Tab-separated table of all heavy atoms in Angstrom:
chain	number	residue	atom	x	y	z
A	444	LEU	N	69.719	-33.104	172.096
A	444	LEU	CA	70.792	-33.163	171.097
A	444	LEU	C	71.971	-32.258	171.426
A	444	LEU	O	73.150	-32.632	171.167
A	444	LEU	CB	70.251	-32.774	169.704
A	444	LEU	CG	69.710	-33.918	168.857
A	444	LEU	CD1	69.090	-33.321	167.597
A	444	LEU	CD2	70.692	-34.994	168.484
A	445	TYR	N	71.739	-31.128	172.055
A	445	TYR	CA	72.834	-30.242	172.316
A	445	TYR	C	72.868	-29.556	173.723
A	445	TYR	O	73.828	-28.866	174.017
A	445	TYR	CB	72.884	-29.081	171.251
A	445	TYR	CG	71.555	-28.398	171.013
A	445	TYR	CD1	71.090	-27.404	171.933
A	445	TYR	CD2	70.809	-28.673	169.895
A	445	TYR	CE1	69.914	-26.741	171.660
A	445	TYR	CE2	69.593	-28.016	169.640
A	445	TYR	CZ	69.169	-26.999	170.552
A	445	TYR	OH	68.008	-26.351	170.326
A	446	ASN	N	71.960	-29.797	174.536
A	446	ASN	CA	71.975	-29.185	175.883
A	446	ASN	C	72.507	-30.198	176.898
A	446	ASN	O	72.453	-31.409	176.693
A	446	ASN	CB	70.613	-28.709	176.331
A	446	ASN	CG	70.181	-27.405	175.600
A	446	ASN	OD1	69.066	-27.317	175.155
A	446	ASN	ND2	71.076	-26.458	175.572
A	447	THR	N	72.999	-29.665	177.987
A	447	THR	CA	73.642	-30.493	179.035
A	447	THR	C	72.973	-30.306	180.381
A	447	THR	O	72.222	-29.398	180.611
A	447	THR	CB	75.134	-30.063	179.204
A	447	THR	OG1	75.207	-28.726	179.749
A	447	THR	CG2	75.849	-30.036	177.822
A	448	PHE	N	73.267	-31.241	181.303
A	448	PHE	CA	72.760	-31.236	182.610
A	448	PHE	C	73.395	-30.026	183.446
A	448	PHE	O	72.717	-29.414	184.220
A	448	PHE	CB	73.018	-32.566	183.261
A	448	PHE	CG	72.176	-33.645	182.720
A	448	PHE	CD1	72.714	-34.477	181.715
A	448	PHE	CD2	70.882	-33.902	183.190
A	448	PHE	CE1	72.002	-35.551	181.146
A	448	PHE	CE2	70.214	-34.970	182.578
A	448	PHE	CZ	70.782	-35.829	181.601
A	449	THR	N	74.658	-29.771	183.148
A	449	THR	CA	75.264	-28.635	183.776
A	449	THR	C	74.592	-27.290	183.386
A	449	THR	O	74.465	-26.418	184.249
A	449	THR	CB	76.760	-28.639	183.412
A	449	THR	OG1	77.407	-29.778	183.921
A	449	THR	CG2	77.436	-27.411	184.163
A	450	GLU	N	74.148	-27.199	182.150
A	450	GLU	CA	73.420	-26.018	181.680
A	450	GLU	C	72.091	-25.927	182.460
A	450	GLU	O	71.696	-24.810	182.792
A	450	GLU	CB	73.139	-26.095	180.189
A	450	GLU	CG	74.401	-25.793	179.357
A	450	GLU	CD	74.033	-25.875	177.901
A	450	GLU	OE1	73.439	-26.844	177.438
A	450	GLU	OE2	74.469	-24.961	177.129
A	451	VAL	N	71.444	-27.041	182.674
A	451	VAL	CA	70.203	-26.979	183.448
A	451	VAL	C	70.510	-26.459	184.841
A	451	VAL	O	69.751	-25.582	185.388
A	451	VAL	CB	69.600	-28.416	183.547
A	451	VAL	CG1	68.508	-28.501	184.546
A	451	VAL	CG2	69.002	-28.815	182.144
A	452	TRP	N	71.573	-26.922	185.439
A	452	TRP	CA	71.893	-26.529	186.829
A	452	TRP	C	72.199	-25.001	186.858
A	452	TRP	O	71.700	-24.258	187.706
A	452	TRP	CB	73.123	-27.299	187.317
A	452	TRP	CG	73.536	-26.957	188.702
A	452	TRP	CD1	73.114	-27.652	189.825
A	452	TRP	CD2	74.372	-25.928	189.173
A	452	TRP	NE1	73.647	-27.088	190.957
A	452	TRP	CE2	74.434	-25.991	190.622
A	452	TRP	CE3	75.072	-24.909	188.535
A	452	TRP	CZ2	75.185	-25.111	191.292
A	452	TRP	CZ3	75.884	-24.016	189.269
A	452	TRP	CH2	75.870	-24.141	190.665
A	453	THR	N	72.957	-24.600	185.889
A	453	THR	CA	73.316	-23.164	185.820
A	453	THR	C	72.086	-22.280	185.474
A	453	THR	O	71.891	-21.192	186.079
A	453	THR	CB	74.369	-22.875	184.699
A	453	THR	OG1	75.510	-23.681	184.975
A	453	THR	CG2	74.778	-21.432	184.633
A	454	PHE	N	71.183	-22.717	184.628
A	454	PHE	CA	69.986	-21.979	184.337
A	454	PHE	C	69.175	-21.729	185.612
A	454	PHE	O	68.649	-20.626	185.853
A	454	PHE	CB	69.074	-22.757	183.339
A	454	PHE	CG	67.674	-22.175	183.239
A	454	PHE	CD1	67.442	-21.008	182.621
A	454	PHE	CD2	66.658	-22.862	183.963
A	454	PHE	CE1	66.151	-20.532	182.556
A	454	PHE	CE2	65.412	-22.359	183.991
A	454	PHE	CZ	65.080	-21.150	183.230
A	455	VAL	N	68.998	-22.742	186.405
A	455	VAL	CA	68.184	-22.647	187.640
A	455	VAL	C	68.790	-21.555	188.553
A	455	VAL	O	68.061	-20.782	189.169
A	455	VAL	CB	68.068	-24.007	188.354
A	455	VAL	CG1	67.283	-23.776	189.656
A	455	VAL	CG2	67.194	-24.939	187.452
A	456	GLN	N	70.122	-21.558	188.667
A	456	GLN	CA	70.732	-20.507	189.502
A	456	GLN	C	70.375	-19.124	188.968
A	456	GLN	O	70.071	-18.152	189.690
A	456	GLN	CB	72.258	-20.661	189.554
A	456	GLN	CG	72.747	-22.098	189.845
A	456	GLN	CD	72.053	-22.787	191.051
A	456	GLN	OE1	72.028	-22.202	192.141
A	456	GLN	NE2	71.524	-23.950	190.802
A	457	GLN	N	70.522	-18.942	187.627
A	457	GLN	CA	70.241	-17.648	186.993
A	457	GLN	C	68.801	-17.287	187.115
A	457	GLN	O	68.457	-16.152	187.349
A	457	GLN	CB	70.714	-17.723	185.532
A	457	GLN	CG	72.104	-18.002	185.245
A	457	GLN	CD	73.024	-16.822	185.544
A	457	GLN	OE1	72.559	-15.792	186.089
A	457	GLN	NE2	74.310	-16.914	185.339
A	458	PHE	N	67.909	-18.270	187.008
A	458	PHE	CA	66.547	-17.985	187.101
A	458	PHE	C	66.111	-17.526	188.435
A	458	PHE	O	65.296	-16.575	188.636
A	458	PHE	CB	65.707	-19.274	186.704
A	458	PHE	CG	64.204	-19.078	186.752
A	458	PHE	CD1	63.450	-18.293	185.899
A	458	PHE	CD2	63.461	-19.825	187.665
A	458	PHE	CE1	62.138	-18.124	185.983
A	458	PHE	CE2	62.097	-19.699	187.821
A	458	PHE	CZ	61.454	-18.852	186.920
A	459	ARG	N	66.646	-18.237	189.490
A	459	ARG	CA	66.290	-17.823	190.820
A	459	ARG	C	66.877	-16.391	191.152
A	459	ARG	O	66.206	-15.617	191.813
A	459	ARG	CB	66.911	-18.824	191.853
A	459	ARG	CG	66.138	-20.121	191.805
A	459	ARG	CD	66.647	-21.074	192.862
A	459	ARG	NE	65.762	-22.284	193.003
A	459	ARG	CZ	66.036	-23.332	193.720
A	459	ARG	NH1	67.198	-23.430	194.389
A	459	ARG	NH2	65.209	-24.295	193.894
A	460	ALA	N	68.100	-16.068	190.606
A	460	ALA	CA	68.580	-14.782	190.760
A	460	ALA	C	67.778	-13.723	190.120
A	460	ALA	O	67.553	-12.596	190.667
A	460	ALA	CB	70.043	-14.705	190.258
A	461	ALA	N	67.237	-14.009	188.973
A	461	ALA	CA	66.404	-13.031	188.235
A	461	ALA	C	65.092	-12.801	188.994
A	461	ALA	O	64.552	-11.730	188.963
A	461	ALA	CB	66.048	-13.535	186.839
Side-chain angles (χ1 to χ4, degrees):
L444 272 174
Y445 50 78
N446 285 134
T447 69
F448 293 91
T449 300
E450 286 180 312
V451 167
W452 185 92
T453 304
F454 165 80
V455 173
Q456 313 311 307
Q457 299 287 4
F458 179 68
R459 286 182 171 175

